[in-house]
Amino acid sequence: MAEQAVSTPTVAPPQSDQVVACVAYAGGKRLGTVEIDDISEILKFEGQFIWIGLYEPGEELLRKIKEEFGLHELAIEDAHTAHQRPKVEEYGDSLFVVLRTARLLEKKIEFGETHLFVGKRYIVTVRHGASSPYTAVRIRCESSPQHLRMGPGFVLYAVMDYVVDQYFPVIGELEEILEEIEEVVFAGTFGRDTTERIYDLKRQLVDLKRAVSPLVDVCNRLIRFDLGLIPAEAQPYLRDVYDHAVRINESVDLLREMLSSALEAHLSLVGVNQNEVTKKLASWAAIIAVPTMVAGIYGMNFEHMPELRWQYGYLVALGVMAGACGMLYAWFRRSGWL
Amino acid sequence: MAEQAVSTPTVAPPQSDQVVACVAYAGGKRLGTVEIDDISEILKFEGQFIWIGLYEPGEELLRKIKEEFGLHELAIEDAHTAHQRPKVEEYGDSLFVVLRTARLLEKKIEFGETHLFVGKRYIVTVRHGASSPYTAVRIRCESSPQHLRMGPGFVLYAVMDYVVDQYFPVIGELEEILEEIEEVVFAGTFGRDTTERIYDLKRQLVDLKRAVSPLVDVCNRLIRFDLGLIPAEAQPYLRDVYDHAVRINESVDLLREMLSSALEAHLSLVGVNQNEVTKKLASWAAIIAVPTMVAGIYGMNFEHMPELRWQYGYLVALGVMAGACGMLYAWFRRSGWL
Amino acid sequence: MAEQAVSTPTVAPPQSDQVVACVAYAGGKRLGTVEIDDISEILKFEGQFIWIGLYEPGEELLRKIKEEFGLHELAIEDAHTAHQRPKVEEYGDSLFVVLRTARLLEKKIEFGETHLFVGKRYIVTVRHGASSPYTAVRIRCESSPQHLRMGPGFVLYAVMDYVVDQYFPVIGELEEILEEIEEVVFAGTFGRDTTERIYDLKRQLVDLKRAVSPLVDVCNRLIRFDLGLIPAEAQPYLRDVYDHAVRINESVDLLREMLSSALEAHLSLVGVNQNEVTKKLASWAAIIAVPTMVAGIYGMNFEHMPELRWQYGYLVALGVMAGACGMLYAWFRRSGWL
Amino acid sequence: MAEQAVSTPTVAPPQSDQVVACVAYAGGKRLGTVEIDDISEILKFEGQFIWIGLYEPGEELLRKIKEEFGLHELAIEDAHTAHQRPKVEEYGDSLFVVLRTARLLEKKIEFGETHLFVGKRYIVTVRHGASSPYTAVRIRCESSPQHLRMGPGFVLYAVMDYVVDQYFPVIGELEEILEEIEEVVFAGTFGRDTTERIYDLKRQLVDLKRAVSPLVDVCNRLIRFDLGLIPAEAQPYLRDVYDHAVRINESVDLLREMLSSALEAHLSLVGVNQNEVTKKLASWAAIIAVPTMVAGIYGMNFEHMPELRWQYGYLVALGVMAGACGMLYAWFRRSGWL
Amino acid sequence: MAEQAVSTPTVAPPQSDQVVACVAYAGGKRLGTVEIDDISEILKFEGQFIWIGLYEPGEELLRKIKEEFGLHELAIEDAHTAHQRPKVEEYGDSLFVVLRTARLLEKKIEFGETHLFVGKRYIVTVRHGASSPYTAVRIRCESSPQHLRMGPGFVLYAVMDYVVDQYFPVIGELEEILEEIEEVVFAGTFGRDTTERIYDLKRQLVDLKRAVSPLVDVCNRLIRFDLGLIPAEAQPYLRDVYDHAVRINESVDLLREMLSSALEAHLSLVGVNQNEVTKKLASWAAIIAVPTMVAGIYGMNFEHMPELRWQYGYLVALGVMAGACGMLYAWFRRSGWL
């Protein structure tokens, strides 16, 4: 029932204020949705665990959950205010994981946050800002009981895998933008907006880097942690997520490197173009200046200028001008200035 | 009473020369203000600790405190001269912590210093230069006795948290300055002061980096220290401060990166603009040079220039000139030079 | 028989769907090709091992191999989808190694992938994309039984050695391209395509770096691994591969450094050239402007201009013009502007 | 007596060839100067130590000292030839420390070297090149017997403190030079010597960095050394020197960073200036070209040019020219080109 | 006899094909040259060791040596093909060291390689390419038996010391080239070959860096190695070589940094020069354009131009032109444009 509400989030509002889902599992199988107030009942039975999904929860709800699972006040504060950087922290026998999520909306990256509280018998996911609900993750987990049997550690993996995999289309989009920039740069139309687009992409890459780079660290530390929370058979799965995070991180670095190369190429081409323009300017200036000078000479008012009285003086003068222009044109052409 | 003096620092002078406050605590509760000379009395009772707040103390006062708590002469010297870089040092069973504080005053960053001596039964805070008094911190501490019970270690956290959190508005201000610079850069008015503003922001960022970067280190070392001074339950709080310091540090790095990108964009746009200006210059030069040349030709004094005698020669000449100008104009327009 | 198919891969299709070869070895000697379904028979005998070579295998085939050797599902998934970054991972008592291969085809680099599953009694090589078959490796291994006796660890070395050595001609090709770019840059013909070629080479180097850099790491980790899979006497061989990988990595770094130096040189020469062009432009403008000015003066219509009536006024004027031009020309020549 | 010679080094020559001082201490008190040949006498008594100060000593003198204290031949060779980089080395139970000293002479940095041999019962300081004598250090040490009681380890600290503190005025001088450069850069007079001054400062910073950077390392290693040579109570003092070295190192880095920012600002301003100059050139070219063109038109010799016969044709023409110039001027002014 | 051949390598060919020397030592003293085939005889006696010097040895010779000393086939392969990067490797109880040697020949750097096999009782040096023979090293070793007594470990040091010291003149040469470049850059003659020389030096520095940087690593690892091959008393000597290698490495880095600063200065000066040229161009254009314009005005054919009829109209016009030119000239001069 709660599940239904989640699967069509745009129509039905979530169950109770910001609780998206609260489900109990045992032996890799779903027992059913639970009311938040009945959690302590469930936790009495060995081998069961609870997965609570929240979206931008209020203070009261978080306080209830804090008391239920004995979480640390600082972690709860973080989960309330959001705007944390990705990290993983131990509080006694529970883990607190912060992830940044990314989503494409109309070719723009939107960042969100997910906070996870993981204990032996529970996992709480808290979503903030622009982020897709984890219904798909829940369905995937429930469809493979042999994995879900590992407990909250596997759910942690499944959520992280989902979060990390959503970065791939973002990278793809940015790669496309880079390609467009490359095209514009090498097409040789040096509008001002080329620089602006490069700057915009740069900013997006810096933001992305800031989200992705600590993610690699989080994955790495989770692999190393030895808390009993993450069973040995879940390790290869976390290593897989780590691998994806490293690949995304590498892609961001590569994009940054190619972007700054593109900017360098842009600068270099602007310089080359300036060169060409100046050469063209100089060539045409010369081609026009020569006949002007000749005309100036025959415009002088000396009394004794024999050419002025020649029958064909004018034509010869015009011919000289045209000839000079033609020769200059040919010469500049050959030198590659025109 | 001393507290009152502190809460309105602009009207009443501090208690005795540079002692801002000297308060005794026991079991998380405030016992009351104490005279500096009565400290040894207080320290006799187990479970009590003293918090002394100083502002730019004189040599004599520091010597008194040195003897009272058995501090190291070098630490006292540092606390007197200030101009230290943020650090944490062990002297026997006491810690000496140096922090740089930052404050915004009329959109300018002002840096100050805070030195902390932390022992099992005392904490001494020494402020230098531009820095807000720690009255707010004291009030916050006293309002949560369950935390203050941890002793001087918690006060250390509270002061550090306060110091670190004051960097956030500074970062915010610099982000605004960067945005203004971005606007000016992309508006395309290439005044010299754009460069100057970029340089100014750069300098502020370098100063900020210098203050913040060792702060991360200080926090990190405090978490790792195992001295009995910082109780286990205070560790998560220090980790929280560490987190904030890392975030501020990251923001400074990000600002630096975007600033140098902005400078690159500026350089690139200046190049593009130079290109445009040269093209415009060349175009108009050509447009004016052609009629000048034509006029020069018909200004020649040859006797046999039939056009000169035509009825409409002049009008035709003007027409040719206007036509040539118009064609050139259209052509340059189409090529994007004008 | 299967071998024959491999040695002429363009004519005959591989044995059974994507199995290129499946050979059993014992005591450093080849026992003969085996059907995939008979593997378990072979593995019963102590001292024997199997080498299976696959090319872009289907899901079903991989599942069969997974079950036969007890491989991890994640490794199998990786081997199926490819697009992994070079890495080495332990799964229980088997290793999973991912390598990127490079090949030159018509002066273009083509990247492929090779995945290796190495166990005590088997090695499976899975090729993806553009990569040469490992027939040459197999022949080399079989021709030195004293080495092959080391088991799958030596085959792992042989494959890695082959993969790494194929990077050398790629480096050679890129070095040639860099030399061509250097020639073009210093020849002083500043076409736009110079920038484009630099950018292209940059992109290829970035891709290459991405393939080679983790390779060094993989080699290094294989040397350090202590699993019993790689016998002590195989260590020096792996160190040799590591050495080659480091050398290739260094060459890529060197190429990148020289390339960015070449770009800097290009920018610098464009600037110098711009300088020269502007100087030339200025010189010729002056040389033409002076006689034009003189002609203008004698074109004035004042009634009292004594020079106009002199017998040789015109000739003198022409002489002055020519003289001024000549002097300017000589002067610009001497100053290095022309 | 020897002391006197030292305190006025410009008048009296040092005691015996390059021995500046050779003093025996016991229990933190000065016993008096000693002849080099009597050292072995002194060393017989427990609790005494000797401090020998040398300036560019000859081979023979060094050999004598080598034999007296059993120093290593390589250290002696280094101390003779100088031109070492700052380092600290253990030879058996003695330390060999090399420091670079810096001194300002007429606004120029002069580098020197100091080599220290430290043993349980002796310290030998060897100065090379431009460096101040350590008389001041000796006086300071002798005036605090409670510290000097620590033995040669404290003298080592005192010398290092003196050496490190002499870098502060050097930093101050370079900061002033940077400020002058900043002023010149932003004043907008782009002489060639601005670049030359930036380059000069850069070179000085590189040299300084080379001297200071290993100094930090030397201090750090001395703190970590556990040789019995440096007593526990001397550690905080060495940490203090380390702190100063780190601060100097940071200042050098900051200067380097600001210098390259200044160069960037310079380049950017040259670009902006080029832009402005080109715009001015273009504007004035246009303003002069238009009346020239008009004049050219009315200089044509057509028979039928009605304007030429008008009474006020000339004045109207002049008016048109002046008007066009004025309008152009206003327009360029408004566009910010003039 | 073999020695003689070596000391005058240009006249007499080496002893037997590529064996330069094969000498036996015992107790720090030279026993005499030995035939390669008699080595095993010598090795029977405790306390003796053999030093074999080879130059580009053939495969057969290397095989003989491999069998005699039980070397690893991979090391032998490396020693045959050369083109290795500097490294040190352990093979059982022997060391294999690769060094790159550098030599100046007519102001050009020539690189060579030296491979060393070091065992308890032997050392084999294999030279490749451009490298000086080690006769000088041998003579130096033999002249200090107290050192040579340490065995092959000391010979290793002596060779490395010789190799490293030969880098110093190379560094000196490159420093001179840098100085020449600096002079050309600041002389302000911006020929294209300045850029080419900078690029050439850059390439040489990159090559040098590649040779020197791993050398530091090799020295460092040799100091750390604990194999019994290098006796404790040889450690300080290796540390000395390490120190020299670090200094050379630092010099290369410093050269690289100053070179890129020189390039930046070059670019900056080209920009400043462009500025100056444009200003000069603009100034002269204006100075010539104004009289041309005035002449144009008085060249108009209006009937009513009273000035034309004035007695001194022409002189006044000339005066106005000269005055305008003079004023413009003075004004441009004052503004620093001329």
Side-chain angles (χ1 to χ4, degrees), chain C residues 6 20 39 69 73-74 84 93 145 184 203 210 220-221 241 273 276 285 337:
Chain C
V6 169
V20 178
I39 293 174
F69 300 122
E73 58 172 329
L74 281 170
Q84 303 299 314
D93 58 351
V184 174
R203 181 170 272 284
R210 209 189 187 183
N220 197 21
R221 288 188 61 197
V241 176
N273 188 244
E276 288 170 5
W337 283 42

Side-chain angles (χ1 to χ4, degrees), chain C residues 113-164:
Chain C
E113 266 182 64
T114 289
H115 300 237
L116 296 124
F117 297 92
V118 190
K120 272 241 175 264
R121 311 271 300 272
Y122 61 87
I123 179 159
V124 182
T125 59
V126 184
R127 290 191 295 116
H128 283 276
S131 72
S132 325
Y134 294 130
T135 321
V137 180
R138 193 148 47 241
I139 291 167
R140 192 188 143 199
C141 285
E142 289 171 3
S143 68
S144 59
Q146 79 278 21
H147 290 132
L148 199 51
R149 206 168 286 138
M150 298 182 204
F154 182 77
V155 176
L156 172 64
Y157 151 74
V159 169
M160 287 183 69
D161 190 50
Y162 184 74
V163 165
V164 168

Side-chain angles (χ1 to χ4, degrees), chain E residues 1-15 20 135:
Chain E
M1 198 190 66
E3 282 303 286
Q4 272 181 329
V6 168
S7 57
T8 54
T10 47
V11 274
Q15 193 187 18
V20 178
T135 322

Side-chain angles (χ1 to χ4, degrees), chain B residues 73 83 85 87 90 190 192 195 199 202-203 210 256 263 274 298-301 308-309 314, chain D residues 147 182 237 239 243 247 250-251 257 261 264 268 272-273 275-276 278 300-301 303 305 307:
Chain B
E73 58 172 331
H83 297 296
R85 58 190 300 272
K87 62 176 176 181
E90 264 180 84
F190 305 104
R192 283 153 188 248
T195 306
Y199 188 81
K202 172 85 194 202
R203 181 170 273 283
R210 210 189 185 183
R256 281 156 67 105
L263 181 59
Q274 176 74 9
Y298 291 112
M300 291 194 295
N301 297 322
L308 295 183
R309 286 194 195 100
Y314 175 48
Chain D
H147 290 131
E182 283 173 5
Y237 294 91
R239 257 183 0 206
D243 249 46
R247 253 164 67 203
E250 263 189 355
S251 297
E257 194 168 354
S261 289
E264 277 173 10
S268 156
V272 168
N273 189 246
N275 236 329
E276 288 169 6
T278 311
M300 293 194 294
N301 296 321
E303 284 185 356
M305 290 175 71
E307 298 96 320

Side-chain angles (χ1 to χ4, degrees), chain E residues 180-201:
Chain E
E180 283 168 35
I181 287 174
E182 283 173 5
E183 251 170 61
V184 174
V185 164
F186 289 109
T189 53
F190 306 104
R192 284 153 187 246
D193 56 313
T194 308
T195 305
E196 214 161 342
R197 283 173 82 177
I198 290 175
Y199 188 80
D200 272 4
L201 182 51

